[in-house]
Amino acid sequence: MNKVVSNAQEAINNIQSGATIMLGGFGLNGIPENCIAALVEKGITNLTCISNNAGVDDFGLGLLLQKKQIKKMISSYVGENAEFERQLLQGELEVDLIPQGTLATRIQMAAMGIPAFYTPAGYGTEVAVGKEVRNFNGKPYLMELALHADFAIVKAWKGDTMGNLAFRKTTRNFSTSMAKAGNITIAEVEELVQPGDINPDDVHVAGIYVHRIFQGSHYEKRIEKRTVRMI
Amino acid sequence: MNKVVSNAQEAINNIQSGATIMLGGFGLNGIPENCIAALVEKGITNLTCISNNAGVDDFGLGLLLQKKQIKKMISSYVGENAEFERQLLQGELEVDLIPQGTLATRIQMAAMGIPAFYTPAGYGTEVAVGKEVRNFNGKPYLMELALHADFAIVKAWKGDTMGNLAFRKTTRNFSTSMAKAGNITIAEVEELVQPGDINPDDVHVAGIYVHRIFQGSHYEKRIEKRTVRMI
Amino acid sequence: MALDKYGIAKRIAQELQDGMYVNLGIGIPTLVANYVPQSITVIFQSENGILGMGPYPTEAEVDADLINAGKETVTLIKGAALFDSAESFAMIRAGKIDLTVLGAMEVSENGDIANWKIPGKMVKGMGGAMDLVASAKNIIVAMMHTNPKGESKLLPVCTLPITGLCCVKKIITDLAVLEITADGFLLKEKAPGVSVDEIKSKTLGKLICPPNVPDIQI
Amino acid sequence: MALDKYGIAKRIAQELQDGMYVNLGIGIPTLVANYVPQSITVIFQSENGILGMGPYPTEAEVDADLINAGKETVTLIKGAALFDSAESFAMIRAGKIDLTVLGAMEVSENGDIANWKIPGKMVKGMGGAMDLVASAKNIIVAMMHTNPKGESKLLPVCTLPITGLCCVKKIITDLAVLEITADGFLLKEKAPGVSVDEIKSKTLGKLICPPNVPDIQI
């Protein structure tokens, strides 16, 4: 069993143009910085990216947008990003906007082998157009489908060589569900440790879900809105 | 905010005869020993108990069975228990057997506010009788409904006064999902600690789900099958 | 005089009760956290995965790994719990959040809310708003009574694309506190010095005015 | 000579490959863990919430909080992960387990399996068997070729209530290794000293016998 690769280039080596990729993170929080840089460098195009947000102009998925590598974004909230807006208005970019909880849960359901489920979110709105509506206990729900991807790319705090991952603070966000949902899952970690170094009770993503893992480097961890108090 | 009660008697005080109760544990592993004893003492009857197993003759849910307090069991595997078998064969006890993964997931879906989902487990078997079958990507699935309960009773390793729970080893089993699914959730813990004593990254059940919590006592933690190796 | 955004936040804070789990939206709702009465404990949820969100960090406490749903750096209170987005929306969907405070562009007299999209403008997305309004037990809208053009935001029916149906329970604006009832907007309180006639003139939806409308006390 | 249960387990262990995640059922399948080749790493899942199940504990290692799905005390290997039942069956349902080894009462020539219920006898429940067979990519059945009455357990169609449809890929019995094919049971290997005629006589379902059937090597 060898899941450890040496770097981001090797980890993403077999991702081709046209692939569907889930990328963990919320805003710029907990994004796979090394793999995004490697995807930019590799220059593959026509990507469908599933990510809650689309980064900012010069960081995160914004870097892939700048190079016009993304064909379609599947997100819940976008537009902290002028280039994104330009491409969207020019018709160069497709966007599929999904309620955040529905997005998170569709990914989770893919991870759980559940093809469809019912949620009340979006009932009666334009999100419901074309979807099956069904009543349970007198309340209407929409049927939503599991959301799968060829690849999931996530960034964790610690990971061991068997692929077990542990996250820090709010960086879990979409990353844990995506890591479990990807057909192939790539994890970059701040610290690659040995089996046994993560307490089995505290593993957030079990190694079974992770196919390739490496210790990333030069994490910038840019803060989108640095808010501080005086005392 | 005060979720702390002094003992099991106080915790289960408002559970009445006829209630539906989820009880955490797998076999005798991680069962809420203190609350089960209090339910026996209280003597309420006609209970519907949702629990993966039904204990053994003289421990776990077997204690409630002995006193004929249980009207119906909803489980995936039963019968390590002669009294259970006797009551079942005599028609004194109803049993609803559900595939273990379906049981776990129906409880999880109740915790998630999802009224129904699709699973392949049981398709083509007698479990499928009367259930909606639906094809997704060419594979048949059964529609299954969320499983709710008036009360969930679980036992955790550590819990803080705000209701956050952490479990040890395999005691998580059904307990985490049940704790999140109960209309009222009662947690007994081996060690009741102060807020901040459990690392927020390592909380298994967030306090929002837990309504009453107390430090239990005299845990026997009986082992069902003590298997050892020589070296 | 009409309330400012801080006044609206202070009035909303009076809705808080000890032990409540509360989700605050971006904008005015966020300010509510500053006015929690000292005597009670309220737990704030942030839908990116926090229960027990604390105040903004000091410069020394800033942690890039810890932000709220508005992408601002925050802190945790003692007894906080962290989880992923799927779990966060699971607890929202299951109705575990006691109170949700949201901004809105429009609210209709039956409690529909529109707060995510303006046709013709760049659409940024609904984020978690549709999930919150579809499942929250108790939704309070915090907003100005009129839009920048002076047009009422309390309407017979929403004109903008809606976020959710029949979900708002109460509206707290710069001018008034109103409840959604089967008969329309019920005026419960008015800003000190604001006349009922002014509120009537700025409320396009059906407004029910009891004989005596007390002043908002903040 | 027919294999004993240890022989069956040894033969199944030959199916293991480096890096596989494997779920072993109760009974003969559990024994397979004892015969993993030294040269490879196999991770055992237990559906009550373990990835990386180790051997039984020594007396000193016994921990009441750590059991397997058979309710036996076990240990963890380094790099194990623990989780709850919902997560455990999520990974099973999502097809993350590479190999599942189960016992069976009957298998039909199209791969249906019956292993949970005998009409007229006390029904203990299906446990996790229906979930496993509905989703596992690769299911091997470990069982005796005949039941205690000497009747074939490899049938044209199952007579007992089934656990899952068209799911078994391979069967390893005391007499033979067989694959499920579109045309029935394909005899791949036979126990040393057992004749093809004996296997034929004890297989009620359609059996395909190639000209040369090699001996099981263990």
Side-chain angles (χ1 to χ4, degrees), chain B residues 1-3 110-114 160 162 164 180-183 195-196 198 200-201 203 206-209 211, chain C residues 18-21 41-43 45 51 76-83 86-87 89-91 93-94 96-97:
Chain B
M1 170 180 287
N2 186 17
K3 300 184 174 191
M112 295 179 70
I114 294 175
D160 71 24
M162 293 170 74
N164 294 301
K180 297 175 189 176
N183 290 349
I198 303 175
D201 284 332
V203 169
I208 192 170
Y209 298 109
H211 302 85
Chain C
D18 186 49
M20 269 189 173
Y21 290 90
T41 302
V42 171
I43 309 289
Q45 199 238 25
L51 262 181
L76 300 177
I77 64 165
K78 278 193 179 183
L82 296 160
F83 35 86
E87 168 91 19
F89 283 95
M91 65 179 70
R93 203 186 295 109
K96 300 292 175 183
I97 305 295

